[in-house]
Amino acid sequence: MLVNGARVQPDASGALFWPGERTIVVSDLHFEKGSAHAARGHGLVPPYDTAATLQRLELVIARYHPQRLIALGDSFHDQGAFERLSDAEVERLRRLVAKQETIWIAGNHDPAPPQELGGTIMSEIAIGPLHFRHEPQPGAAAGEVAGHLHPKARVSRHGRTVSARAFASDGIRLIMPAFGAFAGGLDVTDMAFRPLFRRQFHAWMAVNDRVYAVPSNRLLRREDVPAG
């Protein structure tokens, strides 16, 4: 995949690897979303999302050995999420952050990410031809890489509908899928995406252990998907 001239590699985990910069990018980890739901009385949500997200992130870092990790905001589901982490999870996060340069981008859920884990907290950062921020901005300069919208896509295959989280890109900008275990997704044909792409884009769908590039004109639109 090329984004503003930078060759990047979408990973089926939901992470993005930039080989030229030895950089891993993840978005919308939403640590402790499960405990936040439980506190509001949604007790049927199992409280294992942080552990599952952490494990997947550890595996990605072990696979690529990056020199830099960028977390594109909403890493923590709310401002109290850090306090709800177990001691073991805090220690796992500290070890993970220390493995490479780590940059925490502030998001709308975590405008002040916790400093106790180490790493550098920033509102956004430009590296070469790419500009990393949490929330995509219509009309932004070429090279924007953002999260926030949790893109997912649907296609019809052999008479059935396949739905998966997706990287959405037109080669000018890239919207990252949510990495968090409980993060959910918004269909890439939703109105929220229309101001972001001036031409046909591709949805790079993460299905099982592979990533498939699907042009936007082959995607099922929200109104095309049967209810139920």
Side-chain angles (χ1 to χ4, degrees):
M1 177 197 297
L2 283 174
V3 181
N4 200 30
R7 187 166 295 280
V8 293
Q9 178 180 335
D11 188 88
S13 66
L16 184 77
F17 181 49
W18 186 4
E21 288 288 333
R22 296 282 304 279
T23 295
I24 288 286
V25 186
V26 292
S27 187
D28 296 273
L29 301 168
H30 283 274
F31 288 133
E32 290 304 297
K33 182 174 183 177
S35 62
H37 276 241
R40 292 197 295 269
H42 303 294
L44 294 179
V45 179
Y48 306 125
D49 56 311
T50 293
T53 302
L54 257 176
Q55 182 180 39
R56 191 158 68 249
L57 187 55
E58 289 166 341
L59 289 172
V60 167
I61 288 174
R63 183 158 65 249
Y64 290 103
H65 302 287
Q67 293 180 349
R68 182 190 294 119
L69 170 66
I70 300 175
L72 281 184
D74 285 3
S75 300
F76 298 86
H77 189 65
D78 54 48
Q79 289 300 104
F82 177 75
E83 285 72 25
R84 298 196 301 275
L85 292 170
S86 69
D87 290 344
E89 289 165 340
V90 169
E91 184 56 34
R92 285 175 71 184
L93 267 169
R94 283 180 175 149
R95 288 198 303 267
L96 186 149
V97 167
K99 285 180 178 292
Q100 65 286 302
E101 176 190 5
T102 298
I103 298 170
W104 301 101
I105 301 295
N108 59 296
H109 279 259
D110 57 353
Q115 299 179 344
E116 293 89 338
L117 296 172
T120 303
I121 298 170
M122 306 183 75
S123 60
E124 53 188 63
I125 183 173
I127 303 172
L130 301 183
H131 194 116
F132 300 91
R133 59 168 57 98
H134 175 61
E135 190 166 350
Q137 300 178 3
E144 180 185 68
V145 179
H148 182 63
L149 292 176
H150 302 200
K152 67 177 182 180
R154 303 170 194 252
V155 293
S156 179
R157 183 173 174 81
H158 304 308
R160 67 186 183 95
T161 298
V162 177
S163 176
R165 57 187 166 176
F167 302 79
S169 179
D170 59 358
I172 297 171
R173 77 196 313 160
L174 168 65
I175 311 301
M176 294 278 296
F179 194 87
F182 287 176
L186 178 67
D187 197 287
V188 291
T189 66
D190 188 271
M191 286 289 294
F193 291 92
R194 294 187 185 179
L196 303 178
F197 300 116
R198 296 189 293 272
R199 58 181 186 180
Q200 179 172 292
F201 63 93
H202 278 71
W204 299 73
M205 298 177 64
V207 181
N208 298 325
D209 294 326
R210 298 186 63 183
V211 178
Y212 300 87
V214 182
S216 54
N217 61 5
R218 289 184 53 199
L219 297 173
L220 289 176
R221 304 189 67 81
R222 293 183 67 186
E223 56 267 27
D224 296 331
V225 180

